[in-house]
Amino acid sequence: MSSAADTLTETPLGGPTLPQERRLVTSIPGPRSQELLDRKADAVAAGVGHTAPVHAVAAGGGVIVDADGNSLIDLGSGIAVTTIGNAHPKVVAAVQAQVAQFTHTCFMIAPYDSYVSVAEALNRITPGDHAKKSALFNSGAEAVENAVKIARKYTGKQAVVAFDHGYHGRTNLTMALTAKSMPYKSGFGPFASEIYRAPLSYPYRDGLDGGLAAKKAISMIEKQVGADNLAAIIIEPIQGEGGFIVPADGFLPALVEWCRANDVVFIADEIQTGFARTGEMFASDLFGIVPDLITTAKGIAGGLPLAAVTGRAEIMDASHAGGLGGTYGGNPIACAAALAAIDVFENDGMLERAREIETILKGRLKDLQAADPRVGDVRGHGAMIAAEFVDPATGEPDAALTAAVAKASIAQGVIVLTCGTYGNVIRFLPPLSITDDLLHEGMDVVAAALAAA
Ligand SMILES: *Cc1c(COP(=O)(O)O)cnc(C)c1O
């Protein structure tokens, strides 16, 4: 056991009180982390994987501290969740106050203020100034399931179109909506019926402008599904797991327009892109679209589990009473956290910070790209930026290189996540609370890992 680890207090305080530094006092994983990983292997189902082989004990600002006393730079935010920073003081205070007041009544049994306040806030900050309503759930997948239920009830139609490279969750219906087989679907069928897949705009690989890409998708929808049968199309305005794919300008507006003309509900899945992540409160704002329904989760509550469907009041009200809900949906502690987080998003300069991070990350990655043809594409918005790695000779995706760079970065104390249908994308999702210095140091490590790979 290293001496630095022994100087750790029993329960190091998280949040911004943690020293903002990369500090390696053991190899990764250190002995205490390895002990937890061994217990995990024995006790936790093998299907639940992990990216960084660490035993986390505290996190805040831009770092995660492990049980061996290592401090890792966090460029993943627990998959875009701790956008305002881990254990943000306003979230901690709100949670502590609420947990001492009451922990649960079930909103469907005895309603409470914080749920209604979250709904009001979501109705206010989501795109469009039409009358809106919201319903709260526990996870992103559950929100997506409910958005589909609502759209079907409202339209009286059944089919749903999702897109190539789309990711919408791991429950049965959302597996059907998700594109990628391994690891999300393989062996888990049969999947829900009446789900169809349309081609996405993927400028780096299809070379199409937004209008042409939309025409292709709409033609497929009209010929293979038919607007008369179609309840909804669901799309991530910028794809998350699928590879941080930013559609060409004009693609999303053309889809929205077609939906309006054909009584089809347009659902924007903003579970990963929402809440300041892209430098706008919602990615739909980047593209000037107003979705009929929007699903949110991840960044919504500073790390507590909460999700929502928000949308046009007449659509949201289509369900009979008792048709929507769930025992824990809109739990009061999660709602208190969300109100604190939304306050931070709106009042503490989060949109500006996301744009500053975009400038730093894009600058660093474009420098890498200029010097190394294996960096095929650099894309994204705000603090949601990715690099796609390719074989320079053929342009083919290079998943092995991507995995090697990510693994080496983590071993050097920088947590990065990969994504993409072809597994050849490294995505950068730092908390907005990260310092510029840490962000640069993290990118130094990634650049060195790439040079060595
Ligand atoms: C993460 C994610 C989901 C699923 O959310 P869970 O909370 O993991 O169920 C759905 N859609 C998108 C775009 C996501 O990024």
Side-chain angles (χ1 to χ4, degrees):
M1 185 55 48
S2 83
S3 56
D6 294 334
T7 64
L8 265 186
T9 55
E10 265 314 289
T11 48
L13 292 174
T17 57
L18 281 180
Q20 295 300 300
E21 61 185 12
R22 182 171 67 107
R23 182 180 69 238
L24 293 181
V25 297
T26 69
S27 59
I28 304 283
R32 289 186 184 178
S33 287
Q34 190 55 56
E35 212 178 292
L36 183 78
L37 297 178
D38 292 343
R39 282 172 49 212
K40 174 180 183 269
D42 281 344
V44 179
V48 184
H50 61 263
T51 297
V54 298
H55 172 176
V57 293
V63 300
I64 294 178
V65 173
D66 77 10
D68 295 290
N70 300 298
S71 175
L72 295 89
I73 298 176
D74 179 12
L75 300 184
S77 301
I79 320 184
V81 169
T82 54
T83 305
I84 58 173
N86 223 307
H88 188 287
K90 287 187 181 171
V91 170
V92 171
V95 165
Q96 285 174 338
Q98 178 59 46
V99 79
Q101 203 71 28
F102 64 96
T103 51
H104 175 85
T105 61
C106 185
F107 188 76
M108 301 178 304
I109 303 299
Y112 39 88
D113 183 295
S114 58
Y115 184 119
V116 177
S117 294
V118 170
E120 287 168 347
L122 291 172
N123 298 344
R124 177 168 52 78
I125 67 177
T126 48
D129 44 21
H130 49 282
K132 285 178 235 161
K133 290 196 174 182
S134 291
L136 305 185
F137 304 97
N138 302 294
S139 70
E142 202 187 347
V144 169
E145 295 246 0
N146 278 280
V148 170
K149 278 170 65 172
I150 292 164
R152 283 175 169 162
K153 185 81 180 177
Y154 175 72
T155 59
K157 301 189 276 187
Q158 293 187 354
V160 178
V161 163
F163 284 79
D164 285 338
H165 313 286
Y167 180 85
H168 301 288
R170 286 178 161 97
T171 58
N172 187 264
L173 175 59
T174 60
M175 275 193 295
L177 294 168
T178 291
K180 192 176 177 179
S181 176
M182 258 323 252
Y184 306 123
K185 306 168 72 163
S186 187
F188 297 138
F191 303 114
S193 59
E194 287 306 309
I195 307 294
Y196 302 87
R197 194 165 309 286
L200 182 79
S201 165
Y202 190 163
Y204 177 61
R205 293 202 170 271
D206 69 15
L208 297 178
D209 68 37
L212 276 177
K215 228 171 146 180
K216 217 172 121 187
I218 288 166
S219 165
M220 175 267 148
I221 294 168
E222 288 178 337
K223 299 293 178 289
Q224 298 185 33
V225 187
D228 289 349
N229 305 302
L230 185 59
I233 75 171
I234 180 164
I235 188 166
E236 301 152 84
I238 297 174
Q239 287 195 326
E241 307 301 305
F244 282 26
I245 302 165
V246 183
D249 284 345
F251 180 73
L252 292 172
L255 292 180
V256 171
E257 195 182 321
W258 183 86
C259 284
R260 294 277 135 80
N262 289 280
D263 296 319
V264 172
V265 175
F266 182 93
I267 305 171
D269 181 348
E270 292 238 23
I271 288 168
Q272 192 154 160
T273 49
F275 299 103
R277 182 47 67 183
T278 64
E280 296 285 349
M281 196 60 89
F282 294 95
S284 293
D285 297 323
L286 286 170
F287 302 100
I289 59 167
V290 176
D292 298 313
L293 299 181
I294 174 167
T295 54
T296 53
K298 293 198 164 93
I300 189 172
L304 275 85
L306 188 70
V309 182
T310 299
R312 294 184 189 282
E314 67 274 19
I315 301 177
M316 292 298 296
D317 279 341
S319 170
H320 47 273
L324 306 178
T327 305
Y328 290 116
N331 168 272
I333 302 165
C335 284
L339 290 174
I342 291 169
D343 174 43
V344 174
F345 284 123
E346 287 197 285
N347 299 311
D348 292 355
M350 292 295 117
L351 303 182
E352 296 73 16
R353 183 60 189 147
R355 292 177 198 145
E356 288 167 10
I357 287 174
E358 170 175 345
T359 303
I360 294 174
L361 282 177
K362 275 198 172 155
R364 293 298 304 259
L365 290 170
K366 295 221 153 150
D367 287 350
L368 279 185
Q369 185 183 27
D372 190 334
R374 296 176 299 173
V375 183
D377 194 26
V378 172
R379 57 178 179 252
H381 286 274
M384 183 174 184
I385 304 292
E388 176 162 350
F389 295 93
V390 298
D391 176 340
T394 61
E396 287 297 305
D398 193 341
L401 171 67
T402 308
V405 173
K407 192 165 176 230
S409 299
I410 292 168
Q412 286 304 311
V414 179
I415 296 179
V416 293
L417 313 179
T418 59
C419 65
T421 298
Y422 315 111
N424 68 322
V425 176
I426 292 185
R427 52 173 153 174
F428 299 93
L429 289 165
L432 303 180
S433 52
I434 196 169
T435 64
D436 287 0
D437 285 350
L438 269 189
L439 191 56
H440 277 294
E441 188 177 342
M443 297 311 290
D444 291 343
V445 168
V446 172
L450 176 65

